[in-house]
Amino acid sequence: MTTKIPSDYVFSPEVAEARRSNQPIVALETAVVTHGLPYPMNLELARDLESAVRAQGAVPATIGLLDGKIHVGLTADELEQLGTPGGPSRKVSRRDFGLVLARKEKGGTTVAATLIAAHAVGLKVFATGGIGGVHRGEIFDVSADLPELGRTPLVVVCAGAKSILDLPATLEVLETQGVTVLGYQTDEFPGFYSRESGLPVGARVDTPAEVAEIARRHWALGIEAALLVTAPPPAEVAVPREQIEGIIQQAQAEAVQQGIHGAKVTPFLLSRVSELSGGSSLRANLALLRNNAAIAGQIACAMVVGPKTEHA
C-alpha cells in the first residue's frame, strides 16, 4: 500500500507487515469493546473477531484511539488497555477525533469513525455488527454512519442496521447517499437479530469474488461510496422477526415512559431487548459479529487476488 499516512496514525507490527507485503486486511471497530459489552466479555469478543479474520487468511486491523494516536491494529496489551474499565473513554464518531486525540483519552470507534480511519490508511474491507440508521419516530435523528457510508469507498460487512431502528427509512437514506446495498447469500435485507425484515436488497451476491469484482468496477468509476454487504445472522441463533419486533416495541414504550431520550436511547433499548429476550438477542449479536468478520476475511482475500480476466 502506498497511501500517504497522516502522522496521527500508528500501526501494530502485524498490520505494518501486512501492508508492506500486500496481505489482505480487515478493519474492525472498537465501540463494541468500549461501550457495547461488559468487561471481560468485550475483550473475549474482540479476540474472537480477530481470530475469525485470521482463520480466513486475512489480517485483522482493530482500530482504536489510545495515548493521542489512532491505532490501526492493536497489540494484546493495547487491546487490554482499551477494553479494561477505567480512565476517560469516549465513543468516537467523526466529530470526536480531535477531542479524544488532544486529551489522550481512550476511544472506541463507531462505524463512521472506523470508515474514516480505515480509508485514511488505504484499507478496503471492514466488518461490523450493524450500522446505525434512522431512529423510529424520529426522522431527523439519523446516525452519522449513513453519510459516512455515502462518501467512503470500503466494503462494509454487516447484518443490516440495528433492528431497534426504522429499517425502511434507513434504506431510503442509504439510497439517497448512493450506497449500494447487497445481500450476501440472501435476497432480503437482514433484520439484525433476525434473518428477515420484509425489505429487499439492491442485489444478491453469493461469493466473495463477486463482491470484490463489484467493488473494483464501482470504484474504478470514481464513485466514492461504500458497498454495504449485508449478511443474515446464523440460522441457529437468529431470533424470529415477529418475536423480536414485539420485544423492541415493548422496550421503546418503556423508554418513553421513563423519559429516556437522546444518546441514552440506543444503549437502553439494546440492554432492555437483551433482558426481555432472555439473552437470545445478545447471543445472536455475538454470533453475527463473528460471522461478519469471517465473511469480511474472505472478501479481503478476494480483493487482493486481482480482477477477472475477460476472454474474447
Side-chain angles (χ1 to χ4, degrees):
M1 294 181 182
T2 58
T3 305
K4 182 175 174 58
I5 306 302
S7 60
D8 286 318
Y9 288 85
V10 293
F11 299 100
S12 68
E14 182 183 21
V15 172
E17 175 55 32
R19 294 181 76 255
R20 280 192 296 269
S21 55
N22 197 34
Q23 297 178 57
I25 303 174
V26 174
L28 298 169
E29 56 136 306
T30 48
V32 68
V33 176
T34 58
H35 292 79
L37 292 170
Y39 176 86
M41 185 188 297
N42 58 344
L43 293 178
E44 294 170 3
L45 173 69
R47 296 184 189 107
D48 285 350
L49 298 185
E50 292 187 340
S51 296
V53 171
R54 291 191 183 100
Q56 307 306 318
V59 173
T62 303
I63 296 175
L65 278 66
L66 284 170
D67 304 319
K69 293 290 184 180
I70 303 168
H71 291 252
V72 181
L74 294 168
T75 65
D77 287 345
E78 289 165 348
L79 183 59
E80 188 84 26
Q81 182 183 346
L82 188 70
T84 301
S89 181
R90 192 178 295 266
K91 193 173 182 180
V92 179
S93 191
R94 169 178 279 270
R95 67 181 183 180
D96 304 299
F97 277 102
L99 179 64
V100 174
L101 293 174
R103 294 183 174 179
K104 296 186 178 180
E105 295 177 351
K106 295 191 295 186
T109 54
T110 61
V111 169
T114 309
L115 281 165
I116 291 168
H119 181 51
V121 299
L123 304 188
K124 292 297 183 186
V125 182
F126 164 33
T128 186
I131 62 168
V134 180
H135 282 256
R136 298 190 185 197
E138 300 287 346
I139 61 172
F140 297 110
D141 189 350
V142 180
S143 170
D145 295 351
L146 301 187
E148 213 63 59
L149 287 162
R151 58 188 168 216
T152 314
L154 264 79
V155 172
V156 179
V157 182
C158 66
K162 296 177 179 69
S163 53
I164 60 173
L165 302 169
D166 185 330
L167 299 188
T170 297
L171 282 171
E172 289 290 345
V173 174
L174 286 169
E175 181 181 357
T176 300
Q177 293 291 335
V179 178
T180 303
V181 179
L182 303 173
Y184 193 77
Q185 299 178 358
T186 181
D187 298 299
E188 193 167 339
F189 190 68
F192 191 67
Y193 300 123
S194 56
R195 293 180 61 84
E196 63 284 323
S197 68
L199 301 167
V201 291
R204 176 183 177 128
V205 289
D206 289 304
T207 66
E210 189 177 2
V211 175
E213 184 69 7
I214 292 169
R216 291 189 193 99
R217 301 299 291 266
H218 195 64
W219 298 333
L221 298 173
I223 300 172
E224 298 286 307
L227 295 183
L228 196 66
V229 178
T230 61
E236 62 271 17
V237 295
V239 184
R241 176 185 171 192
E242 297 77 11
Q243 177 184 338
I244 200 66
E245 181 59 26
I247 289 171
I248 291 169
Q249 289 182 11
Q250 180 179 338
Q252 284 186 311
E254 292 178 7
V256 172
Q257 291 167 1
Q258 296 178 35
I260 297 169
H261 54 82
K264 295 180 180 179
V265 171
T266 296
F268 171 82
L269 291 177
L270 292 175
S271 174
R272 191 66 181 124
V273 165
S274 180
E275 293 171 359
L276 292 170
S277 68
S280 62
S281 66
L282 177 59
R283 289 189 290 274
N285 196 351
L286 296 176
L288 67 85
L289 278 159
R290 297 183 185 101
N291 186 55
N292 293 347
I295 293 170
Q298 296 167 14
I299 293 170
C301 291
M303 292 286 289
V304 301
V305 170
K308 296 177 182 177
T309 56
E310 296 184 3
H311 299 281

